[in-house]
Amino acid sequence: MNTVCGAGVHLFGVRHLSPAGAYHVLEYLERLQPTAVLIEGPSDATPEIIHLTNSSTKPPVAILAFTEELPIRTVLWPFAVYSPEYQAMLWARKQGAHCAFIDLPSSSAVCLQDVRGERGGQPSGSDVSHETQDQEPSSKEIGGSEDLEPEAGNSIDTEVRDPGSIYDLIAGISGEYDYDTYWERNFEHNLTPDAYRQAILAYSSQMRELTEGREWTEDRQEYAYNAVREAYMCRQIADTIAAGHQPENIVVICGAYHASALADLSLAMSDDELQRLPFRKTKLTLMPYSYLKLSSLTGYGAGNIAPYYFEMMWKQMTRGMLGDLPHRYFAFVAGDLRKTGTHRSTAEVIEAVRFAESLAALHDGHAPTLRDLRDAAKTLLGRGELSVIAESLARAEVGTAIGELAEGVSQTPIQDDMNRQLKRLKLDKYKTAVASDLVLDLRENRRVSSEEAAFLDLNRSFWFHRLKLLGIHFAQEKGRAQDQADWTEHWVAKWSPEVEIEVVESNLLGETVETAAGFVLQQRLEGCSSIEEASALITVAYECGMVHQMEAGRQTMQRLAVESQDVVQIAAAARKLSQLIRYGGIRRMDNTPLIPLLQQLFMRACLFLHDASQCNDEVAQAMASAIGELNHIAAEHSEEVDEALWVQELSRLSDRDDAHPRLSGLACAILLERNSISAQQCAAEVSRRLSPGIPADLGAGWFEGLAMRNRYALLSRTSLWEQLNDYICTLEDDEFVRALLFLRRAFSAFSPKEKTMVAELLGEIWGVSTEQVAEILTDDLKEEEAQMLNELNDFDFEDF
């Protein structure tokens, strides 16, 4: 094949993430010394090349495009240090050569990605296949999941592919286990000058012949999609020639699949075709990327299975010591095993190298592939057990690297704000792929001199909660333990490329995290339809330290509370307000404007308590919790709310027979607990409720409510248990069965100590030993007894 193709332009086909490709591209550029280097990538991102090649930029990094209007779509082009395109950019900058991207602009790429997804090609919202040997983009829509299309296996030991893919066909023809092994053995280990490039051009033609011969609809759509891209790239090449660069001084770095197609510039896109390209306004930015995300193990189709392994390969190539790669790989795995307490000797490492070389020889290879190394590691270092070395293999192959960008690099305003806040809040060190625990103390630190330092953790908390509101998953709050102080928060911080994308997507909401969070909260308040939702948003505003939004939330809740009669919702909203009023000082926010709102909610709950208590059994469970919440508020805020009204309504509920019996019993228990009724009054109510002739669901149901509170006071009254015993004895068999279910549910919440006290009381009443009763109450049910109770649970009492 000639060195110069088509119009005399030099074409160099590569795999997007190929150490050998990068190695040969550099050697080729050094030899030809072109004046123009054209690279497959979004043409509108050409101005970003200067930032990508900044000396402070450390790959992996990515170009990210996003649409300016909703729904937001994002398209991504990542680079590793061993990406041929990245090394070509570095060379062009160093030599002062013209360098540009020549693929479809992001404004069209994002539209065509959607079209491919709609017509059954690569799914919209997914990373496209890296097997086109392209630097293909990925896309997604805001508010949805990324829905990555897995193309490599999700374990270190195996890979899973579409059994009918062109790449499995190639692997089968070559006799290799999978396509990645085929590629590495035939291309990555080929360091012969110019042989790599010639082999790629031949491979490109053969692959296109295979592809064009397939009749699947998806393949035809993929072929059409690539044809549009190739026509555009041909036009860009022609424009570069027209700009004054001689064809023989132009080198084009493109995906292997496209290499043979770009040889014919007569296929260049016309002006009319250019005008007909789909278009959505987009913006571009750069973002740090990670090896974890780059790895196809995590579902990224354009990645390779082992980014860190290929970085090791790249470094060995540049040192002229590629033959030492197996030694480096096994030494890394053995060293990592030693860190975890699993010792492996030097002799075992040497033997693993020999074994891997033997495996390569069986496939006529002159060096081990990653699969050969992996098999040898499992056999020699894992001693046949993959689980022993799985984590060490992951670190040796995938790695944890996250890229860095130089300060001042082209970014969106919210990204700039994000970086400023990371520095201001001293969180830079947490910008890593490794999860880190962070415990915040929201109180003032009096041991420091500045106010900024004194409330550092409080400001961190505000910022973390704002990120949470925006759906930016940099910090995840851990569940609060029961013994955790109110001024303490526990977060887990972890950076990932997804976080960067989430930050960029928030740019349309505001230019800073604070303004974007404020916008989101305001939008939610405007769409709020219940007081429970409004109270949750007030809490969010409080946690975010957003005073204006708290006031807006207060006004929203006050408006909604005027019409609400749902006591369960009112109680839940009042509980949140109560917490904010009690602990508002921790976040240095004035919560006194919430007190009138709490008073209003509490009064409405009291006024509608009786009506809401005329409910079915399912609602009664929620109502019982609401009554408990309201009683707690009455005790905690006795000076703010009308406690006398609460006691009055509880007394009314306790006396009424038309309310749910469990709620009436609960009201009686609370009144007794508050000393609002005397022991004699309680005894009289017990006598009335547990008198002969009272149906079981009323009598036993009422006792269930009574037993929900102040159990020690109940357990001290022998007369109550005598009355319960007498009542049970009066029941007919069918009524007894019904009562049993209510009593079983009531006693299920008793502690072992409380059950023992019940046993003592019943022992006295029945004239048997306490031990006998305790044995019956506390022993596990026999199998036949458990079966009987299960049948009772399923019994339809409506048949009576």
Side-chain angles (χ1 to χ4, degrees):
M1 189 173 289
N2 295 330
T3 300
V4 212
C5 302
V9 172
H10 302 270
L11 298 171
F12 202 117
V14 296
R15 195 180 194 187
H16 169 46
L17 293 161
S18 167
Y23 177 85
H24 288 296
V25 160
L26 284 180
E27 184 275 332
Y28 193 69
L29 293 173
E30 278 294 327
R31 179 152 47 92
L32 289 183
Q33 294 292 312
T35 60
V37 178
L38 305 181
I39 298 171
E40 183 182 313
S43 57
D44 53 335
T46 294
E48 303 297 336
I49 292 177
I50 191 172
H51 301 302
L52 286 167
T53 56
N54 188 297
S55 59
S56 297
T57 297
K58 296 179 182 178
V61 292
I63 300 170
L64 177 66
F66 58 97
T67 52
E68 291 188 25
E69 297 177 352
L70 296 173
I72 295 176
R73 302 290 292 176
T74 60
V75 195
L76 194 67
W77 292 265
F79 300 93
V81 69
Y82 53 86
S83 294
E85 300 90 340
Y86 179 71
Q87 290 298 325
M89 284 184 267
L90 290 177
W91 183 91
R93 177 163 182 166
K94 181 179 178 182
Q95 301 298 325
H98 171 69
C99 187
F101 290 122
I102 59 169
D103 203 350
L104 288 171
S106 61
S107 55
S108 297
V110 69
C111 298
L112 290 177
Q113 288 282 13
D114 284 345
V115 170
R116 292 169 75 205
E118 291 167 3
R119 294 182 180 176
Q122 188 68 22
S124 176
S126 69
D127 292 335
V128 298
S129 169
H130 75 291
E131 272 87 33
T132 58
Q133 316 314 322
D134 291 66
Q135 181 173 302
E136 295 277 19
S138 68
S139 65
K140 75 169 190 172
E141 183 171 342
I142 191 168
S145 62
E146 216 165 338
D147 293 329
L148 300 179
E149 178 74 8
E151 299 214 357
N154 57 5
S155 73
I156 287 182
D157 194 45
T158 61
E159 294 183 56
V160 179
R161 289 185 183 277
D162 173 7
S165 75
I166 186 69
Y167 308 106
D168 285 321
L169 178 61
I170 293 171
I173 293 172
S174 69
E176 292 288 358
Y177 177 82
D178 56 39
Y179 180 78
D180 285 319
T181 303
Y182 157 78
W183 182 271
E184 184 180 356
R185 201 182 307 281
N186 290 276
F187 292 95
E188 298 303 333
H189 296 165
N190 183 355
L191 296 187
T192 306
D194 207 44
Y196 178 95
R197 175 175 170 274
Q198 298 292 349
I200 287 284
L201 289 172
Y203 168 84
S204 174
S205 298
Q206 294 167 0
M207 186 181 182
R208 294 180 76 91
E209 289 174 8
L210 283 172
T211 305
E212 291 167 14
R214 290 158 66 87
E215 298 300 327
W216 291 358
T217 301
E218 291 87 347
D219 290 324
R220 290 199 299 270
Q221 290 166 350
E222 192 69 17
Y223 180 81
Y225 169 71
N226 283 319
V228 172
R229 296 176 58 207
E230 289 160 357
Y232 187 87
M233 287 191 276
C234 284
R235 180 185 177 101
Q236 295 294 302
I237 295 169
D239 288 348
T240 304
I241 295 171
H245 292 276
Q246 296 300 313
E248 62 271 18
N249 290 330
I250 299 173
V251 171
V252 177
I253 314 294
C254 63
Y257 179 83
H258 301 299
S260 58
L262 300 187
D264 185 3
L265 297 186
S266 66
L267 300 176
M269 186 176 286
S270 66
D271 290 345
D272 181 58
E273 290 169 333
L274 187 65
Q275 291 297 320
R276 286 159 55 193
L277 280 175
F279 176 85
R280 277 192 70 185
K281 283 188 177 182
T282 56
K283 289 184 178 180
L284 290 163
T285 184
L286 298 183
M287 59 174 279
Y289 215 59
S290 75
Y291 275 172
L292 181 62
K293 178 62 178 172
L294 199 62
S295 169
S296 53
L297 284 173
T298 62
Y300 172 52
N304 53 18
I305 201 167
Y308 185 64
Y309 165 75
F310 284 107
E311 181 188 324
M312 284 195 287
M313 180 184 288
W314 164 249
K315 289 179 179 177
Q316 292 303 108
M317 284 179 181
T318 57
R319 294 167 183 158
M321 302 172 67
L322 182 59
D324 288 345
L325 179 60
H327 302 79
R328 293 272 180 177
Y329 177 87
F330 290 121
F332 183 99
V333 174
D336 191 75
L337 285 171
R338 290 189 191 109
K339 292 177 184 177
T340 60
T342 303
H343 182 73
R344 293 294 182 263
S345 67
T346 304
E348 288 173 296
V349 171
I350 295 172
E351 191 59 31
V353 173
R354 290 174 179 169
F355 186 39
E357 290 173 343
S358 299
L359 291 174
L362 290 174
H363 291 86
D364 298 323
H366 65 273
T369 63
L370 177 60
R371 184 166 189 84
D372 298 329
L373 297 174
R374 217 182 263 161
D375 288 343
K378 175 182 176 181
T379 303
L380 275 302
L381 302 184
R383 298 173 182 172
E385 296 291 336
L386 177 63
S387 59
V388 175
I389 59 170
E391 291 188 12
S392 296
L393 288 186
R395 281 186 276 271
E397 296 175 13
V398 177
T400 58
I402 288 184
E404 296 179 12
L405 293 171
E407 285 197 38
V409 167
S410 172
Q411 297 214 321
T412 58
I414 199 167
Q415 282 175 290
D416 290 334
D417 177 66
M418 190 84 177
N419 291 329
R420 281 195 303 270
Q421 297 304 321
L422 284 169
K423 288 185 178 180
R424 182 178 76 88
L425 299 173
K426 305 186 188 307
L427 294 169
D428 301 69
K429 65 180 180 180
Y430 296 101
K431 195 175 182 180
T432 170
V434 179
S436 303
D437 285 327
L438 190 60
V439 178
L440 304 181
D441 186 335
L442 308 186
R443 297 171 299 178
E444 180 181 2
N445 182 357
R446 299 180 183 276
R447 297 188 299 273
V448 294
S449 56
S450 70
E451 183 174 356
E452 180 76 14
F455 295 101
L456 176 63
D457 277 1
L458 176 60
N459 290 324
R460 284 173 168 177
S461 174
F462 285 148
W463 195 62
F464 284 162
H465 281 288
R466 291 169 186 173
L467 294 179
K468 180 180 176 181
L469 175 61
L470 292 173
I472 298 174
H473 296 88
F474 169 53
Q476 304 278 351
E477 188 175 10
K478 295 189 72 172
R480 180 179 292 273
Q482 275 192 327
D483 59 348
Q484 186 173 326
D486 294 308
W487 58 81
T488 302
E489 288 182 348
H490 190 174
W491 296 80
V492 178
K494 181 182 178 182
W495 194 267
S496 68
E498 288 84 357
V499 170
E500 196 85 39
I501 294 174
E502 289 164 354
V503 173
V504 171
E505 289 174 342
S506 298
N507 189 67
L508 291 182
L509 305 173
E511 295 191 348
T512 67
V513 169
E514 183 176 3
T515 56
F519 175 79
V520 168
L521 197 51
Q522 190 62 43
Q523 291 291 102
R524 291 186 184 178
L525 283 169
E526 290 175 4
C528 183
S529 59
S530 71
I531 59 170
E532 189 174 20
E533 184 183 357
S535 67
L537 292 175
I538 291 175
T539 302
V540 170
Y542 166 74
E543 292 172 336
C544 293
M546 305 172 79
V547 177
H548 296 299
Q549 282 72 26
M550 272 191 68
E551 175 57 23
R554 187 194 67 77
Q555 294 175 4
T556 300
M557 184 187 282
Q558 193 163 35
R559 172 176 54 80
L560 294 170
V562 172
E563 300 178 356
S564 178
Q565 298 182 17
D566 188 329
V567 174
V568 173
Q569 275 202 22
I570 292 173
R575 174 178 55 81
K576 288 178 180 169
L577 291 183
S578 169
Q579 291 173 336
L580 295 182
I581 293 168
R582 288 186 63 203
Y583 303 113
I586 294 173
R587 291 183 178 269
R588 305 177 70 209
M589 297 178 70
D590 181 14
N591 290 325
T592 52
L594 298 178
I595 293 176
L597 183 55
L598 176 65
Q599 293 169 333
Q600 178 184 352
L601 290 176
F602 187 82
M603 179 175 291
R604 291 190 69 80
C606 290
L607 295 178
F608 292 106
L609 178 63
H610 178 260
D611 290 343
S613 297
Q614 295 174 318
C615 58
N616 59 30
D617 200 56
E618 183 178 351
V619 176
Q621 186 66 31
M623 275 297 298
S625 298
I627 290 171
E629 294 286 2
L630 291 166
N631 187 62
H632 182 75
I633 292 171
E636 291 289 339
H637 300 275
S638 57
E639 295 184 2
E640 288 96 357
V641 301
D642 192 343
E643 191 175 12
L645 177 62
W646 173 243
V647 173
Q648 173 186 309
E649 293 305 313
L650 279 179
S651 299
R652 182 183 176 207
L653 175 58
S654 175
D655 292 340
R656 295 297 292 260
D657 294 336
D658 55 351
H660 193 285
R662 194 193 319 170
L663 300 181
S664 293
L666 174 60
C668 184
I670 293 175
L671 290 170
L672 182 64
E673 186 181 272
R674 282 176 157 271
N675 293 319
S676 297
I677 60 173
S678 65
Q680 291 75 18
Q681 288 174 305
C682 178
E685 187 66 11
V686 170
S687 179
R688 185 174 76 85
R689 294 284 186 173
L690 300 181
S691 59
I694 299 295
D697 51 354
L698 298 180
W702 180 86
F703 181 83
E704 179 190 357
L706 184 71
M708 293 175 72
R709 302 282 295 223
N710 201 16
R711 291 181 191 142
Y712 283 104
L714 299 179
L715 291 168
S716 65
R717 289 172 167 80
T718 307
S719 59
L720 183 148
W721 299 95
E722 291 173 342
Q723 287 173 289
L724 177 64
N725 180 63
D726 293 341
Y727 171 70
I728 295 297
C729 291
T730 65
L731 296 175
E732 299 294 336
D733 289 347
D734 55 350
E735 285 291 303
F736 172 77
V737 170
R738 299 188 66 149
L740 183 60
L741 288 179
F742 291 103
L743 296 175
R744 179 188 179 212
R745 187 166 61 186
F747 291 128
S748 66
F750 279 50
S751 69
K753 184 178 179 181
E754 290 168 342
K755 288 179 180 178
T756 301
M757 294 175 69
V758 172
E760 292 175 353
L761 288 167
L762 293 178
E764 291 180 14
I765 295 171
W766 294 340
V768 297
S769 68
T770 301
E771 290 74 14
Q772 286 180 288
V773 180
E775 184 177 352
I776 295 172
L777 290 179
T778 59
D779 273 3
D780 294 332
L781 293 174
K782 296 181 177 63
E783 185 176 346
E784 60 272 18
E785 293 170 336
Q787 179 64 31
M788 290 174 60
L789 285 175
N790 286 335
E791 291 173 359
L792 284 174
N793 281 337
D794 297 332
F795 195 78
D796 186 1
F797 290 111
E798 296 304 321
D799 290 342
F800 283 113

